[in-house]
Amino acid sequence: MNAPTRFDALPCFASSLKAIEGLKPPEPLYLVQPEKISSAAKQFLDGFPGDVLYAVKANPHPVALRQLWDAGIRHFDTASLGEIESVKTLLPEAICHFMAPVRLPGQAKAAFEQHGVTDFVVDSESELDKLLDETGKPTKLRVFVRLVTALGGALLEMSSKYGCRPEEASKLLARVAQAGAQPCLTFHVGSQCLSPFSYAQAIEIAQRTITLSGVEIAALDIGGGFPTAYAGQEPPPYHWYFDMIKEALNNLGRPDLKVMCEPGRALVAQGISLVTQVVMRRGDRLYLNDGIYGSFDEQRFISFDEDYPPSGITLDAKGKAKILSGEKRPFRAYGPTCDSADVLPRPVMLPDTIATGDFVMFDAMGAYTVSSRSSFNGYYPDGWALIGV
Ligand SMILES: *Cc1c(COP(=O)(O)O)cnc(C)c1O
């Protein structure tokens, strides 16, 4: 795959419609709007009271990484040696943090020795032993103990697989301190978290853990989970989150405490739209050139209720791209692979005039789309263009 790594290598258009006119894309096309990525990064850099780490798994594409770097993001939440290597290759000055609580043998050692990574997460005794053993220099490490949080306002929970309860976490904290490393805490309230209060609740759990352990922590990483505005969903503005987080942090009574966050979705979702083509319409069924095994993988896991509201776009006799108007009705949208499961889980609302050969554009497709696409059945969405630069 020859992934473009530079903006100047991508075709560039004044608008989405111009891109569709110019490329008539027969394969799925990601339309990147760099300004939207920058403006999301700026909101966090300006408003969050600590370091902002970009969670690379949300979108590891070089174009996203580069744009975030240019917008001022210097810290990267990486979960594997592979992610660390791709970040460091593109951005040698980037600071990587290894925030996966269970690591493949040897990966902590390579991250520490070859890439200077000193922040790691653990949620078990055995991973702590492995980490101390592999790095051999505990005084250089900050070790973040991962807490479970209450099921709350998130549409995708993140506490059933990783994390421990305050009792166990407090023992781990004490062991980290004993080993000579800097004890720290972290959690993830769940992705697309629509409730700012979830963060305050989780910070309270952190507080309880600190009290139980009697250990003074060196840093608190409040994770990701910040939502993005998908159609039909209006999350509270980020400053509500930041205010609630600051208030909860105040209650810890540690003004010197280093704080971090790890947004993924919130930084990249709005910056990419996806153009698909209707390969065939049959009644109320649309067969698109992208689906569940491509850009829509996350749709299998996330619990939305809303219908999809993409734009239908057609090329007129002169080749001009036009947004189809008219009353919308529900369609079933199938992906291109031969698997019956390759169908969007909810209805796609489009005007009844949509026809074979027309285009369907989905907005806010920058997060958990590019990162989890597969080449199942020989389909791999990988068309790229820039809008508005
Ligand atoms: C996935 C993940 C993130 C990013 O989550 P978003 O909901 O996209 O903000 C942050 N931290 C960790 C540890 C993660 O696993």
Side-chain angles (χ1 to χ4, degrees), residues 7-22:
F7 287 128
D8 52 17
L10 297 181
C12 190
F13 298 91
S15 68
S16 311
L17 289 181
K18 292 279 181 226
I20 292 169
E21 259 171 48

Side-chain angles (χ1 to χ4, degrees), residues 55 57 77 99 146 158 188 191 224-226 262-265 368:
K57 82 171 187 290
D77 161 10
M99 300 318 246
R146 169 101 170 234
M158 300 275 284
H188 195 301
S191 202
F226 300 91
E262 308 167 340
R265 186 188 306 280
Y368 304 107

Side-chain angles (χ1 to χ4, degrees), residues 11 28 40 69 80 87 99 101 113 122 147 164 169 184 188 221 224 228-229 267 351 385:
W69 176 267
S80 60
V87 169
M99 300 318 246
E113 289 177 359
V122 300
L147 291 164
C164 47
C184 306
H188 195 301
D221 171 8
T228 199
L267 296 189

